Amino acid sequence: MALSKKIEATLNQQINEEWFSAYLYKSMAAYFKSMNLKGFAHWMNLQTLEELSHGEKFFNFIHDRFGTVKLTAIKTPQLTWKNPLDAVQAALKHEQHITSKINELMTLAQKEHDYASVTFLNWFVTEQVEEEAAADELVEKLKFIGDNKAALLGLDRELGQRTLSKN
Ligand SMILES: [Fe+2]
Ligand SMILES: [Fe+2]
């Protein structure tokens, strides 16, 4: 069954959302690199790769459902933040925004009884729980660390150990 025009358009918008997410995290990676927080930069770089793969999933799904992929301009992300906490709070807020976009898509797919899209979107519903939890963990750790530079460097070392998940 081919995608409805409305679902096709919304899935195409989601490619842009995911690839904008990649751009935003890459901008955060540059910000952390400029502060010599290489572990944070590494974490953001892996986040970028995940977001690229999310966009790819939508790209392939549209194609598999006989739809047409339509790429649109990706806006300029924020380039700097007040401090590391400000940046990870922006990341959390962004993930909450993405969750609301996935939920809108799910509502639309359910309304149109497009069960293939519902099943496809289920993966993203679960993924967003992890994405919000991971960003929230960083926010909480940085709040706990406060002005303690040694603790900040410890967290930076920890984040430098992150490996790419297999999804
Ligand atoms: Fe994503
Ligand atoms: Fe994400």
Side-chain angles (χ1 to χ4, degrees):
M1 194 180 79
L3 290 168
S4 77
K5 285 294 153 202
K6 199 167 173 187
I7 292 183
E8 182 190 84
T10 317
L11 290 170
N12 268 304
Q13 279 168 22
Q14 195 61 31
I15 295 178
N16 188 291
E17 292 279 354
E18 298 295 342
W19 286 349
F20 171 75
S21 304
Y23 228 35
L24 176 66
Y25 287 124
K26 200 70 187 169
S27 186
M28 289 179 180
Y31 165 72
F32 283 116
K33 233 175 158 60
S34 76
M35 298 183 79
N36 277 313
L37 290 170
K38 288 185 181 153
F40 277 88
H42 170 75
W43 195 93
M44 290 298 171
N45 276 330
L46 292 193
Q47 201 62 21
T48 300
L49 294 178
E50 278 201 7
E51 301 302 353
L52 289 175
S53 82
H54 295 168
E56 193 76 18
K57 281 181 197 281
F58 282 97
F59 182 101
N60 290 329
F61 183 71
I62 292 170
H63 178 75
D64 289 348
R65 294 287 309 282
F66 312 106
T68 305
V69 170
K70 289 180 191 143
L71 300 182
T72 50
I74 296 170
K75 66 181 189 233
T76 304
Q78 191 171 330
L79 300 175
T80 191
W81 289 268
K82 285 197 291 273
N83 49 49
L85 176 61
D86 185 39
V88 298
Q89 278 174 328
L92 175 59
K93 201 166 154 239
H94 181 69
E95 287 301 337
Q96 289 164 343
H97 161 77
I98 294 294
T99 300
S100 76
K101 288 286 159 191
I102 297 294
N103 288 346
E104 280 173 26
L105 255 170
M106 184 60 110
T107 302
L108 182 62
Q110 285 174 338
K111 206 174 102 208
E112 295 195 10
H113 304 291
D114 180 345
Y115 301 115
S117 289
V118 168
T119 301
F120 170 75
L121 290 165
N122 264 325
W123 185 89
F124 284 93
V125 171
T126 308
E127 174 67 11
Q128 281 313 113
V129 174
E130 287 175 25
E131 290 279 77
E132 285 193 36
D136 184 70
E137 192 182 323
L138 282 187
V139 168
E140 290 308 314
K141 281 183 176 170
L142 280 176
K143 280 186 184 165
F144 187 76
I145 283 170
D147 291 331
N148 186 331
K149 292 271 191 298
L152 179 65
L153 288 179
L155 178 58
D156 188 59
R157 219 171 300 124
E158 182 192 318
L159 296 181
Q161 307 299 315
R162 180 183 173 187
T163 54
L164 202 55
S165 60
K166 279 170 287 301
N167 296 316

